Amino acid sequence: MMTEGGSENFGILDASTSGSREGGPSFSVRHRALRLAWGIAWALLAAWTPAPLHWWRTFLLRLFGARLARNVRVHGAARIWYPPHLIMEENTLVGRGAIIYCVAPVRLGRGVVISQGAHLCTGSHDIDDASFQLTARPITIGAEAWVAAEAFVGPGVFIGEGAVLGARGVAFSDLAAWTVYAGNPARPIRARVTSP
């Protein structure tokens, strides 16, 4: 679905007519029903499972629409908000307690590691809109990148191949490839050099 400006709205309702600021819905009934079913399925069938059962958790994610390549690992304590917006390439990992708030698509390239407690957040609000309209922009993380423990990645951020966002770092703008970042806001610290 496209909005007037030509960008996708990812199923988000118009806050001025839905009344989301006063407790009305931000998404359609169908969208909310799928998220409810997903939340129940994950809580009952996956959240408590031991770490080695990655194959089972990826089966459930695929069943609910996630696009996952082979050998991906998602820990049971991770929280995936909307599986159809999750794309994981080969050998990716989402650690314990990580939050993937995928109102818009989140793409994890080959070999990406999202460490424990990290938060990828595609949603925000238009603070200049009287209705406080929910907005969303995709997050893309390039191959071999690492989002370290408890780091935060905001809406619309592109993390380049091999980049590192250090523990508790906060990224609201793009991160260059093969560069190590830290802090809030994230600043480049040095180049990342990997040995063969």
Side-chain angles (χ1 to χ4, degrees), residues 132-189:
F132 204 53
Q133 177 64 49
L134 177 63
T135 61
R137 292 173 34 215
I139 291 172
T140 301
I141 301 180
E144 305 301 331
W146 177 28
V147 177
E150 298 183 1
F152 181 90
V153 179
V157 170
F158 175 83
I159 296 180
E161 178 180 359
V164 174
L165 178 58
R168 295 197 173 179
V170 176
F172 278 105
S173 58
D174 295 350
L175 305 186
W178 300 103
T179 305
V180 178
Y181 290 81
N184 179 6
R187 290 183 173 84
I189 302 299

Side-chain angles (χ1 to χ4, degrees), residues 9-152:
N9 73 2
F10 306 112
I12 300 169
L13 298 176
D14 181 346
S16 65
T17 57
S18 70
S20 60
R21 185 76 189 246
E22 293 80 35
S26 294
F27 296 90
S28 69
V29 171
R30 182 172 180 260
H31 195 283
R32 287 179 284 148
L34 185 130
R35 286 196 342 262
L36 176 64
W38 163 245
I40 292 169
W42 190 256
L44 294 177
L45 302 173
W48 56 271
T49 56
L53 291 182
H54 294 296
W55 65 271
W56 170 248
R57 292 185 294 273
T58 57
F59 168 77
L60 287 174
L61 280 159
R62 286 183 181 108
L63 188 65
F64 278 86
R67 288 167 281 170
L68 310 178
R70 62 182 182 79
N71 196 33
V72 303
R73 293 162 290 153
V74 177
H75 282 268
R79 294 190 352 224
I80 312 296
W81 189 78
Y82 186 66
H85 284 171
L86 179 63
I87 303 149
M88 295 174 68
E89 295 179 16
E90 295 85 5
N91 302 320
T92 53
L93 168 70
V94 175
R96 290 182 55 80
I99 299 170
I100 312 294
Y101 183 54
C102 44
V103 178
V106 169
R107 176 181 290 273
L108 306 180
R110 175 187 42 79
V112 164
V113 174
I114 307 299
S115 286
Q116 65 273 17
H119 189 159
L120 309 184
C121 180
T122 63
S124 188
H125 291 271
D126 182 348
I127 61 171
D128 297 317
D129 178 15
S131 301
F132 204 53
Q133 177 64 49
L134 177 63
T135 61
R137 292 173 34 215
I139 291 172
T140 301
I141 301 180
E144 305 301 331
W146 177 28
V147 177
E150 298 183 1
F152 181 90

